[in-house]
Amino acid sequence: MLVLVAPGQGAQTPGFLTEWLELPGAADRVAAWSDVIGLDLAHYGTRADADAIRDTAIAQPLLVAAGLLSASALGDIAQIAPGAVAGHSVGEITAAAFAGVLDDKSALSLVRKRGLAMADAAAITETGMAALLGGAPEVTVPHLEKLGLTPANINGAGQIVAAGTKEQLAALEADKPEGVRKVVALKVAGAFHTHHMAPAVDTLAKAAADLTPGDPQVTYVSNKDGQAVATGAEVLQRLVGQVANPVRWDLCMETFKELGVTALLEVCPGGTLTGLAKRALPGVKTLALKTPADLDAARELIAEHAA
């Protein structure tokens, strides 16, 4: 069984859309999306520097656009035929489009509003996130809570992401939990999936209320608890609440196991989730779409493992 996944914020790098926009029809499609959301996606995906695309309001729609564009190069969802879809953090909106809960333009409109609302929330207090490599959750989580930090992403494969104020993160650098090898600051501009994002929830709820979701046409696995969600209304409800609650990617991968995953394909800008899967899902074939040069290998993977 093939699982199709979409990465979250921090996966973007300068110029990562350049080669994708050279595919037939890609530039026109991205231009149309840009008009819908009032943001020049082609500029930010090809010419903007790392600081510019670190901005939450820019990074989030850019990531969703990249995921949709790279997947479309493989065909529609029926041609890819995944047994399940999921996304990490903002990647959940990309996955909602894969599942047919949202059309592409609705997904881009929602993520644009999400990014702006979360950027506004992040501006209230100087906050950030850091990945902890190694250590056991039963030791790391209480240690983070002692420092006032939130375990915002529990990713499995020996990785937990802490979020909080700059002062709290500095304290973590000086006082790492037992067993943690390294603390790595992430390329994000806020403490996402924590109480610091609470102001964004109401804004996103109002934006979601204007949408008419479809029910998932393929199994949609949620970050909230790793469970499959059966209705479009519940998918939207979870997308709204998730901005202020931890991402449980570890539980998503447990569900992939239960579903019988044999291969995992990560859309552009791929790499993060395949890296986690290689450690947490031994024996599962993985492939990350980084450039169009990866498309042929992705087609082979689909032919071998798709439903």
Side-chain angles (χ1 to χ4, degrees):
M1 185 196 79
L2 176 71
V3 173
L4 184 67
V5 298
Q9 207 162 332
Q12 72 277 8
T13 55
F16 76 103
L17 266 189
T18 301
E19 293 182 64
W20 292 100
L21 290 174
E22 296 170 358
L23 296 177
D28 290 342
R29 192 175 188 194
V30 169
W33 290 341
S34 297
D35 289 342
V36 168
I37 65 174
L39 184 71
D40 189 345
L41 293 164
H43 166 76
Y44 286 109
T46 60
R47 297 185 295 279
D49 62 19
D51 284 340
I53 62 174
R54 182 173 175 267
D55 182 340
T56 304
I58 292 167
Q60 293 193 9
L62 190 58
L63 286 162
V64 172
L68 296 176
L69 189 67
S70 58
S72 70
L74 294 167
D76 60 28
I77 200 69
Q79 291 170 299
I80 299 172
V85 299
H88 190 286
S89 187
V90 69
E92 286 207 288
I93 294 180
T94 316
F98 292 158
V101 174
L102 301 171
D103 61 38
D104 291 355
K105 289 183 178 179
S106 295
L108 267 299
S109 295
L110 182 62
V111 75
R112 177 61 167 154
K113 292 170 183 174
R114 183 187 194 268
L116 288 166
M118 292 176 72
D120 288 344
I124 296 170
T125 306
E126 191 175 7
T127 58
M129 304 177 81
L132 284 73
L133 307 181
E138 59 270 22
V139 175
T140 298
V141 170
H143 188 94
L144 295 178
E145 292 171 346
K146 181 187 74 175
L147 296 175
L149 290 158
T150 300
N153 302 165
I154 300 178
N155 287 332
Q159 185 188 106
I160 291 177
V161 175
T165 66
K166 292 297 185 181
E167 292 79 12
Q168 290 166 340
L169 290 168
L172 174 63
E173 284 278 5
D175 182 18
K176 294 192 287 288
E178 182 182 351
V180 169
R181 303 187 306 277
K182 194 174 183 181
V183 177
V184 181
L186 298 187
K187 296 178 288 184
V188 297
F192 306 139
H193 303 291
T194 73
H195 66 278
H196 293 286
M197 291 295 108
V201 173
D202 286 344
T203 301
L204 199 58
K206 290 173 184 174
D210 293 333
L211 300 175
T212 304
D215 291 336
Q217 300 303 298
V218 60
T219 300
Y220 177 96
V221 181
S222 167
N223 283 180
K224 180 178 180 179
D225 50 15
Q227 296 301 302
V229 181
T231 70
E234 187 178 354
V235 169
L236 273 187
Q237 182 183 24
R238 285 173 174 241
L239 288 175
V240 169
Q242 202 61 43
V243 299
N245 286 284
V247 169
R248 294 301 306 267
W249 191 251
D250 59 332
L251 299 180
C252 291
M253 290 196 292
E254 286 298 320
T255 296
F256 300 162
K257 282 185 196 175
E258 292 168 8
L259 291 171
V261 60
T262 57
L264 181 143
L265 175 61
E266 183 179 5
V267 296
C268 178
T272 303
L273 301 181
T274 49
L276 292 170
K278 284 174 183 176
R279 296 190 291 276
L281 300 171
V284 172
K285 289 191 176 181
T286 63
L287 192 148
L289 287 177
K290 297 179 180 180
T291 74
D294 298 313
L295 288 170
D296 284 344
R299 292 184 183 103
E300 291 178 11
L301 190 77
I302 290 166
E304 292 172 9
H305 298 273

